[in-house]
Amino acid sequence: MDPVIIVGAGPVGLTLALALARQQVPSVVLDEGPGKDEPRLARTVVLREDTAALVQRLTGADLDQAGLRWAGWRSMRRKQVIREVTFDDLADPAPLHTADPAPLHIAQHVLTGALRAALDGERLVKVVVDSRLDGVEQEASGVTAHTRGPRGTWWRGSHLVGCDGPRSTVRKLLDVRFPGRTAVERHAVAALRVELPWADEALLHRTPPWRTSGPSAGEVTGRPLPDGVWRLDWLLPPGKELVTPELLVARIRETLAGWSGGSTPPYELLDTGVHTVHHRLARRWRVGRVFLAGDAAHLLGAFGAQGLDEGLRDADNLAWKLALAWHHGPREALLDSYQAERRAVVSARLRAADQALPLLRGGGGIRAYVPGAARGHDVLLTDGHLGRGPLGAAGGYEESPLAPRHLEAEVPVGTAPGAQVQDVRVTAEDGSFVQLRDRLGRGALLVLLIAPGTGVWERRHWVSAGIMPRLAAAVTALPSPAELLVAESYPGAAAHTVLLIRPDGHLVAALNGVRAADLYAAAEAALGGPASTQGAQGTQATHGTEGPQEASAAGAAAGSAAK
């Protein structure tokens, strides 16, 4: 069978290629560039804990060394600290502190480099540089793409995924609209090496006292990176204010002086830029055998929200669905669910940002004088920067078309159906103790039994006792490969609760004991219903140049390697 064609070699496209390879699906990555990324310390990303874990699982790289997990966060207004968050400090009883998983702050070129390094030894992935897409054709049996350039050729694939950024050629060839808003926010950005009073703590400073007039007085954000490097962002006023070197140096000096007690500390300016935030959402994310992911499908980022984090979730969501179709035949409802799930989540975040924009950036009005309004604004902004609340939290798939209906044995646990499961220690089928997250992304459903006491006994003593034989038989009978795991406990789950978990880590259902019929029904629903016997429906031919239909030599070799 032909490989999956991935257009674009940014973090989303490379993550998708690795995720497919982990599930034994070959891919060809068409890279428009030379295969190298320019080091830019002013271009960084913030990843939530589970998204960073996804990249680490795929690459094997120690991202904690490549990036920095913040020790804390503080929100300031004028000279007052409004809110503080301490990460991973459960012992801190202070009322202004909460215990949260620390986000990971990393330069984008470092993240991309880790993904490229992991692909170097991956036999199922072929990265083709200097290859610009200029045509796509599709029919019931597959997709054909044409690239121009020194290595211009025709490529044959089972599916094609456009991960080619905001100006996506794939999206344009599909004639998919990309409505939204341009320049929702603009920031002047500087990366510099400097010593600040807050070691490894990020901060948001609104209306700093050293800028008392003008529309640009409003906001500066500081985010630490490894080796004493900081990324500073100054919110620019609406319009097209020109950010000159003189203006930026003045901003740097006054900000550092304000934070350091009046005098500018020594600093080394490493990189600068202007970051413009757009909010856009593609009308369709699937057209036949062609999909959109990452910035090709959505743009968001106001109030600190991280668009790349959502793009990586696109790749994680799509990979196991494409893998199932590649190995076991098309399930159209399952492939359709990619758009239904991911577009709904991103759309909800964009709606929340649009509703908050007039409140947080409106410049006053009567609401600015309501007691507590400033504190409420800072809470909203903190949520956006830290990946929480409506502006920043990772969405769940509770309304997914894959959600099972009317399960008699379903019980509530600490994770809502459709949400990402929590990471707990589990016993694998070989008797080893591993983290639940380590078993994700392998193409198999996970069935997790909550059995207190099993952790103190060797698996051979309890694997054939109690309800285990019945549960093992029920797992074997499921409509898709599944792995049986056992945990001593799970938040909110009683003993003998059985959790069914998707390959991307989202909870399908929690059942009260071994209920084979309900477990089968939940698994079948999570897979999009009974397997289809027909090819892709609604396939739409798109613009492309006439040419041969055979797979390229590299694509055919990759396809053969997986069979």
Side-chain angles (χ1 to χ4, degrees):
M1 190 169 174
D2 297 317
V4 174
I5 300 172
I6 299 172
V7 182
V12 175
L14 299 177
T15 296
L16 178 59
L18 279 171
L20 289 171
R22 296 299 182 267
Q23 297 169 74
Q24 300 304 305
V25 177
S27 63
V28 173
V29 180
L30 303 180
D31 185 354
E32 182 179 335
K36 297 180 181 180
D37 298 279
E38 178 188 3
R40 290 293 310 274
L41 289 173
R43 189 178 186 187
T44 64
V45 296
V46 178
L47 303 180
R48 301 182 187 92
E49 182 194 28
D50 57 329
T51 318
L54 165 67
V55 178
Q56 290 198 161
R57 188 168 67 246
L58 292 174
T59 62
D62 186 356
L63 295 187
D64 288 352
Q65 296 297 320
L68 182 71
R69 291 191 186 271
W70 299 334
W73 168 273
R74 66 180 57 212
S75 178
M76 302 173 65
R77 187 174 179 85
R78 298 186 178 92
K79 296 182 179 181
Q80 181 182 7
V81 176
I82 301 296
R83 185 174 180 82
E84 287 184 277
V85 175
T86 299
F87 298 119
D88 296 326
D89 187 1
L90 298 174
D92 192 343
L96 288 179
H97 290 68
T98 60
D100 283 319
L104 176 73
H105 188 209
I106 186 170
Q108 183 164 319
H109 73 272
V110 174
L111 176 65
T112 306
L115 292 164
R116 288 188 185 276
L119 284 172
D120 283 344
E122 181 51 67
R123 67 183 181 85
L124 291 179
V125 181
K126 174 70 174 180
V127 180
V128 188
V129 300
D130 298 320
S131 295
R132 180 175 177 82
L133 183 77
D134 63 1
V136 174
E137 296 176 349
Q138 58 175 312
E139 63 281 334
S141 60
V143 181
T144 305
H146 184 265
T147 56
R148 67 172 185 263
R151 313 192 79 171
T153 188
W154 289 92
W155 303 89
R156 181 67 176 175
S158 63
H159 298 84
L160 183 145
V161 185
C163 305
D164 49 343
R167 296 181 175 85
S168 170
T169 300
V170 174
R171 189 184 65 242
K172 293 172 183 175
L173 290 172
L174 295 177
D175 196 25
V176 172
R177 293 184 58 204
F178 198 39
R181 304 174 63 185
T182 300
V184 173
E185 290 185 350
R186 293 174 67 242
H187 297 261
V189 183
L192 55 153
R193 184 173 284 110
V194 65
E195 184 176 341
L196 291 178
W198 311 283
D200 296 343
E201 290 188 9
L203 73 151
L204 170 69
H205 200 159
R206 305 187 76 204
T207 320
W210 58 85
R211 294 191 65 83
T212 57
S213 63
S216 58
E219 190 174 300
V220 57
T221 307
R223 302 182 182 100
L225 285 161
D227 301 323
V229 176
W230 286 77
R231 169 176 166 168
L232 305 186
D233 289 58
W234 293 267
L235 179 66
L236 297 172
K240 297 183 178 180
E241 177 185 1
L242 181 63
V243 182
T244 63
E246 294 77 16
L247 174 64
L248 191 56
V249 169
R251 291 278 177 93
I252 292 171
R253 294 183 63 83
E254 69 179 7
T255 300
L256 297 183
W259 284 343
S260 303
S263 60
T264 303
Y267 69 91
E268 178 186 2
L269 185 59
L270 304 173
D271 193 18
T272 63
V274 175
H275 175 51
T276 303
V277 175
H278 309 291
H279 279 178
R280 295 188 177 276
L281 187 66
R283 293 289 192 195
R284 301 176 67 184
W285 292 25
R286 180 192 182 193
V287 178
R289 290 177 172 267
V290 182
F291 300 82
L292 300 175
D295 286 351
H298 52 77
L299 295 175
L300 71 163
F303 314 125
Q306 296 296 320
L308 178 57
D309 192 277
E310 292 291 0
L312 297 180
R313 292 177 190 276
D314 294 345
D316 196 26
N317 183 289
L318 183 58
W320 72 273
K321 298 172 181 179
L322 284 176
L324 196 74
W326 198 90
H327 286 295
H328 303 291
R331 289 177 179 260
E332 294 307 310
L334 181 65
L335 294 176
D336 282 341
S337 73
Y338 165 68
Q339 172 176 307
E341 291 179 345
R342 294 300 306 147
R343 193 176 188 278
V345 166
V346 176
S347 178
R349 290 189 67 186
L350 286 172
R351 274 197 309 274
D354 284 341
Q355 291 168 359
L357 272 167
L359 182 67
L360 297 175
R361 306 296 194 219
I366 191 170
R367 279 182 286 190
Y369 300 95
V370 175
R375 186 176 294 272
H377 294 177
D378 285 305
V379 170
L380 276 174
L381 285 167
T382 295
D383 285 348
H385 281 277
L386 300 186
R388 309 185 309 188
L391 289 180
Y397 305 141
E398 60 274 6
E399 300 300 326
S400 167
L402 305 182
R405 306 286 188 262
H406 313 302
L407 300 176
E408 293 182 2
E410 190 166 14
V411 293
V413 295
T415 300
Q420 188 83 18
V421 294
Q422 299 190 39
D423 195 23
V424 297
R425 192 180 79 152
V426 300
T427 304
E429 292 182 340
D430 62 1
S432 62
F433 293 110
V434 296
Q435 290 301 120
L436 178 57
R437 259 185 204 146
D438 293 339
R439 314 309 288 183
L440 300 177
R442 300 179 177 217
L445 296 170
L446 302 181
V447 178
L448 177 63
L449 170 67
I450 310 305
T454 51
V456 299
W457 298 95
E458 290 187 24
R459 184 176 182 273
R460 62 189 176 89
H461 292 305
W462 49 259
V463 70
S464 60
I467 64 174
M468 280 296 294
R470 287 192 294 127
L471 180 57
V475 170
T476 302
L478 292 179
S480 175
E483 181 179 7
L484 177 56
L485 305 169
V486 179
E488 286 234 26
S489 63
Y490 186 89
H496 296 170
T497 301
V498 175
L499 279 62
L500 180 64
I501 302 166
R502 298 178 359 169
D504 59 354
H506 289 262
L507 180 65
V508 179
L511 305 176
N512 180 22
V514 181
R515 305 295 181 94
D518 277 356
L519 186 62
Y520 188 96
E524 191 169 64
L527 300 173
S532 170
T533 59
Q534 298 181 354
Q537 301 299 312
T539 300
Q540 175 179 319
T542 55
H543 174 73
T545 308
E546 291 297 324
Q549 298 298 301
E550 67 274 16
S552 68
S560 299
K563 294 183 181 178

